[in-house]
Amino acid sequence: MAGLTPEPETPRVLDPITGDGTLIDDPAVRPPLVLGNHSFHDITEIVCGYAENKPGRWWLPAFGVASSIAGMGGLFILYLVITGIGTWGLNNQVDWAWDITNFVFWIGIGHAGTLISAILCLLKQKWRTSINRAAEAMTIFAVICAATFPGIHVGRQWMAWMLFPIPNSNQIWPNFRSPLLWDVFAVSTYGTVSALFWYMGMIPDFATLRDRACLALKRNPDGPTLLPFIPLRVAKLRGLVYGFLAMGWRFSSRHWQTYERAYLILAGISTPLVLSVHSIVSFDFATSVIPGWHATIFPPYFVAGAIFGGFAMVLLLMIPSRELFPNMKDLITLRHLENMAKITLVTGMMVGFAYSMEFFIAWYGGNVYELDAFINRATGPYWWAYWTMISCNVLSPQVYWFKRMRTNPLVIFIVSAFITVGMWFERFVIIVTSLHRAFLPAEWGMFFPTPIDICIFVGSCGVFLTLFLLFLRFLPVFAMSELKAVLPQASPHYHPPAPPVDGTQAAHAQKRGHGE
Amino acid sequence: MARKSKKIYKTESGAVVHGVMAEFATPADFYHAAENVRDAGYTRWDSFSPFPVHGIDEAMGLPTPRLPLVAAVIGFTGAGLGYWMQQWMTAVDYPLVVQGKSYDAWEPRVPITFELGILFTAFAVLIGMFAFNKLPRHHHPLMKKERFLRVSDDRFIICVEAVDPRFDPSGTRRMLESLGGTNIEIVEE
């Protein structure tokens, strides 16, 4: 039950300099990755506790609201399929609008998960172990939301299977020179590989949950049943489901050796994969001739923007979670938040640089159409969208230059919300403002969203949140085996510090203990 | 010097012995015990820990896994198939002039070739991991032991199997005891 027992101590007193004890600036001191001197058993209890016990009172109302919104979105998609794309606000002039904006928005959010699980793994950033599971889950849910939009944008949704090269009675194949087809392969590969990576990481944790269910069943064969009239024990069901997912994992060192090698290869291939996915998404635009789209800066600019928006979403989800779940602050420390805030600042600066470079090239390139497209972006009918984008994405992360700001969860949460809005507007600006003033004045028009546009987008947020809440409730939210491995006592060369004689020696022993 | 051991050990109740397991308190004890079991010449034995203890593969003297090679072969096969699929579909089965470019141009095929290479590698890695580890497996003799189920929490266990040519019920037990193992138990098949 430890996972959900409220923290015994009074609210932890935060040190003005080191915060909860992890914000140490001295590079010679290795700050703890997990607070509270937890043993291996404590980690199991905390993390399994989230999946095994009833969550707090907030969970059910939150789930009710999120799943109702998701259901509403589903009904509007049904209406769209029955009625047609004309129910959206897009038209002959602006023929890509919220659908593709939402697609790029969601697919970008996924990128932070892969960055944390793959790139930070290759760079041996051990702090990733507390956040990788949740970030990977977020990636998969975001890809699910993203994949919906092109699927329903094709018009005749029942023909969406023709996106894939499947033999058909017309005896035709898709056009392999089109970036839209590359996108089909990139996004479906990305979704699949992320799901495999996520699943493989969870195998040992499923085995832990399985073994705990077996022990609970042995200890108390008459435990609670699933429903009052069905004689299926909760522990039995848990053992069966987690046992199936664990595939007979038994924590053998011979297995761990292959497993670690497999994990490293997956991290190695996911790194170029994540860079390729958003590059290919950007090709959808960059390979066309529309002013404002036809730019070689797009691939790196889109990748930086995706990581930027993705980290903002990780923070938006993790900051409330760590307040709502007991003991989670020991696992996601202020240093984790600070590190993510720093990555947000760096990628935000990259995005700001890309915005200014686009303008510079529009002028320096000497192409009047290009220049006009950019002046129109900043001063035309969609000026408000452009300046929302600039203020949210370029200005708001600047507060992270101050350590007090980037270590304050409330500030990080607010800035992350701004960034999420700003990144949505970035895609809107790129797509709609470029299309609404094409080469011929006859192609000029405006886009106004209809209620269906809005409801389907809000519905996709509901789907995302519903899936994430289910994840928090039923799956191992932290990679237990990885967290245990980064505890100081996990090292085979660890020796428990000598009993402290006075304060200074205790602090010294603490330092040594956290080293190798 | 590997001699074939056909000897089958049985407990008093007549059950076939799978092996002897011992528990170790810390990763350090576990690691040193593994080194000693390796040096004692045992080959059919295994160790179990809630997380991969750093360096345990060397302490156990495990060979380098062959998984990377398999993944690479399957990955390049996938990439090759991806290229061949595009070549056949756009240049052979349904040649279509797009933007006046050559049917055989390789450049537009790079993204899909790459993506399919990654996709095949990922499946090869996951399925290969299971195959090399002989998983999924419905049951294992060790899982009958309540003590063993705690490995997934915080225990460290070494089990020497009865099929090991050097296995000897009392000798192996004494060795595990001398290495600091506690709660030594016979595991029945």
Side-chain angles (χ1 to χ4, degrees), chain A residues 39-42 44-45 165-166 171-177 181-182 185-190 192-193 196 199-200 203-204 207-212 214-215 218-219 245-263 265-266 269-270 272-273 276-277 280 283 480-482 484-485 489-495 516, chain B residues 27-28 30-32 43-57 60 62-65 67-68 71 85-86 88-90 93-94 96 98-99 101-105 107-109 111-112 114-116 118-119 121-123 125-126 128-130 132-138 140 142-146 148-154 156:
Chain A
S39 64
F40 298 133
H41 180 64
D42 292 343
T44 317
E45 286 288 325
I166 296 170
Q171 301 201 324
I172 57 173
W173 296 113
N175 174 15
F176 282 98
R177 289 170 199 276
L181 188 65
W182 305 346
F185 279 87
V187 172
S188 49
T189 300
Y190 185 48
T192 313
V193 174
L196 293 183
Y199 171 65
M200 201 175 87
I203 291 172
T208 303
L209 284 161
R210 170 200 67 197
D211 290 354
R212 281 169 65 90
C214 290
L215 288 169
K218 274 185 187 164
R219 225 177 295 122
L245 292 168
M247 292 277 183
W249 185 260
R250 58 177 188 275
F251 296 90
S252 149
S253 296
R254 293 174 192 269
H255 291 182
W256 276 125
Q257 190 200 21
T258 320
Y259 177 88
E260 283 198 295
R261 204 54 70 100
Y263 199 86
I265 301 174
L266 275 184
I269 62 168
S270 296
L273 175 67
S276 82
V277 172
I280 292 177
F283 291 164
M480 279 182 273
S481 58
E482 288 185 40
K484 287 173 192 170
Q489 66 266 34
S491 162
H493 311 294
Y494 171 79
H495 296 290
E516 281 287 62
Chain B
F30 174 70
Y31 181 89
H32 296 305
T43 50
R44 303 289 299 270
W45 62 289
D46 207 345
S47 64
F48 304 87
S49 55
F51 53 87
V53 173
H54 190 70
I56 192 73
D57 41 352
M60 285 179 71
L62 299 181
T64 316
L67 181 66
M85 174 188 77
Q86 298 180 73
W88 181 74
M89 286 178 183
T90 53
D93 192 51
Y94 182 52
L96 185 70
V98 179
Q99 298 154 345
K101 305 275 168 54
S102 150
Y103 295 136
D104 293 314
E107 293 90 339
R109 299 193 184 137
I112 293 180
F114 171 77
E115 299 296 338
L116 287 176
I118 298 282
L119 187 68
T121 315
F123 275 105
V125 165
L126 184 75
M129 189 275 285
F130 279 131
F132 278 117
N133 289 344
K134 299 192 177 64
L135 292 175
R137 183 171 169 154
H138 178 246
H140 192 270
L142 279 163
M143 287 191 181
K144 276 187 278 196
K145 293 284 177 195
E146 203 164 306
F148 181 76
L149 295 185
R150 293 182 195 279
V151 167
S152 61
D153 183 2
D154 60 348
F156 300 86

Side-chain angles (χ1 to χ4, degrees), chain A residues 444-458:
Chain A
W444 293 9
M446 288 293 285
F447 167 80
F448 299 102
T450 62
I452 312 292
D453 269 309
I454 297 167
C455 289
I456 293 181
F457 174 59
V458 174

Side-chain angles (χ1 to χ4, degrees), chain A residues 227-296:
Chain A
L227 291 166
F229 43 86
I230 299 177
L232 181 59
R233 308 272 160 217
V234 174
K236 175 95 180 164
L237 180 69
R238 218 178 260 147
L240 284 173
V241 173
Y242 292 131
F244 175 75
L245 292 168
M247 292 277 183
W249 185 260
R250 58 177 188 275
F251 296 90
S252 149
S253 296
R254 293 174 192 269
H255 291 182
W256 276 125
Q257 190 200 21
T258 320
Y259 177 88
E260 283 198 295
R261 204 54 70 100
Y263 199 86
L264 203 61
I265 301 174
L266 275 184
I269 62 168
S270 296
T271 301
L273 175 67
V274 67
L275 300 179
S276 82
V277 172
H278 229 54
S279 299
I280 292 177
V281 169
S282 80
F283 291 164
D284 293 349
F285 307 102
T287 57
S288 77
V289 293
I290 307 284
W293 282 6
H294 189 62
T296 46

